[in-house]
Amino acid sequence: KDECMRYIFVDFEMNPVSEKFPEIKKQCKREIIEIGAVMLNEEMEEVDCFKAYVRPEYNAVIGRKYRELTGISTNKVIGADTFENAYQKFLNWCGEEAYEIYAWSENDMAQVREEMELKQFCCDRKVAYMFAHWYDFQKIFCEKVNSEEAISLERALNLCGITFSGKKHDALYDARNTSRLYRENELNDIAKSVECISSYMEHEEEVHTSMGDIFDFSLLDIKYA
């Protein structure tokens, strides 16, 4: 049997580039200040996790808005690794080939690409493999429930009867909740419940039960990764 496939879920928290660097800001509006990720095995079990703060280069201070949103203070990142070092550690943690990587929205990959270009990160074979196997799970989920509008992670979880666990806008918790949603969809065919979910979404403000209350996902079975 080939090497076992792993499933990695990643999330970034970011801080804006300072107005003091207008030329830099044109190229990359934000910098990653936290990387969070979890790894699942083929049985959809979490087997490892990764969390690292990242020291921004073009803004010495984490603004109040972002500090309150993420819980990340200037003190937490001032002694942290640079983007180059932190992301290399993340790549090493991901390991060799035989994995797929997922993020909730296309913004995460776009951010990494922009920041790598700005900071002249060495794009070697590991980076090439990662980008070739990187998927936007928000897009996958929205397509499956036939939604033309982007759905937030929390709302997607609620549609599947799952309560968000942990602190929102914490990179590790966001990554872990994305993995929980993926696991639910791997075990239960959400595509077969599109009509039910779409109806629920249309009347979401009037309905106070979750999809878990009105639809038995355990009757379904899927493997689409």
Side-chain angles (χ1 to χ4, degrees):
K1 184 180 179 179
D2 294 335
E3 184 178 355
C4 293
M5 179 63 71
R6 289 163 288 124
Y7 303 90
I8 295 170
F9 301 83
V10 66
D11 184 73
F12 306 126
E13 297 303 326
M14 289 162 272
N15 193 54
V17 168
S18 171
E19 299 293 341
K20 297 177 182 179
F21 302 96
E23 293 305 312
I24 297 297
K25 204 171 181 69
K26 288 179 184 178
Q27 184 176 351
C28 188
K29 292 182 173 60
R30 300 178 295 177
E31 292 180 279
I32 293 171
I33 56 173
E34 184 183 27
I35 304 171
V38 299
M39 183 184 294
L40 305 185
N41 61 18
E42 288 186 331
E43 286 69 45
M44 297 293 110
E45 301 166 330
E46 182 175 328
V47 293
D48 204 357
C49 65
F50 180 94
K51 182 181 176 76
Y53 292 118
V54 185
R55 184 173 76 250
E57 186 175 344
Y58 297 103
N59 197 340
V61 177
I62 306 299
R64 178 179 176 182
K65 173 184 175 181
Y66 294 88
R67 184 174 68 249
E68 292 179 349
L69 183 70
T70 67
I72 302 172
S73 65
T74 301
N75 286 338
K76 285 185 177 179
V77 299
I78 198 167
D81 280 329
T82 61
F83 168 77
E84 295 88 336
N85 290 339
Y87 208 80
Q88 188 60 58
K89 288 179 179 178
F90 174 58
L91 282 167
N92 293 340
W93 175 82
C94 290
E96 296 303 319
E97 301 176 3
Y99 71 81
E100 294 176 349
I101 183 166
Y102 294 83
W104 190 258
S105 91
E106 61 185 10
N107 297 333
D108 298 274
M109 178 190 272
Q111 175 65 33
V112 172
R113 286 187 180 277
E114 288 180 2
E115 206 159 340
M116 281 185 173
E117 183 176 354
L118 173 66
K119 298 176 178 178
Q120 299 181 329
F121 189 95
C122 179
C123 294
D124 59 10
R125 181 178 57 82
K126 284 188 175 182
V127 175
Y129 179 87
M130 173 174 283
F131 285 157
H133 296 83
W134 187 304
Y135 302 94
D136 176 359
F137 189 46
Q138 183 185 53
K139 180 180 179 181
I140 293 171
F141 184 88
C142 289
E143 288 175 350
K144 284 193 170 291
V145 300
N146 200 27
S147 174
E148 296 182 358
E149 295 184 0
I151 300 174
S152 70
L153 176 58
E154 184 178 13
R155 187 181 180 203
L157 287 162
N158 183 258
L159 286 170
C160 293
I162 306 171
T163 301
F164 189 98
S165 175
K167 182 183 181 301
K168 299 170 189 174
H169 302 295
D170 173 288
L172 180 56
Y173 279 121
D174 283 352
R176 180 167 286 132
N177 279 285
T178 303
S179 76
R180 294 171 67 216
L181 184 63
Y182 180 92
R183 180 167 54 235
E184 178 69 26
N185 283 267
E186 279 294 289
L187 299 176
N188 307 305
D189 187 359
I190 200 168
K192 293 180 181 178
S193 63
V194 167
E195 185 177 348
C196 182
I197 288 181
S198 297
S199 175
Y200 173 77
M201 290 169 65
E202 290 174 2
H203 302 90
E204 194 172 21
E205 294 183 358
E206 302 173 10
V207 180
H208 301 289
T209 55
S210 72
M211 282 303 300
D213 297 324
I214 62 177
F215 193 87
D216 185 1
F217 287 97
S218 65
L219 300 177
L220 307 173
D221 183 35
I222 187 173
K223 277 289 175 184
Y224 66 83

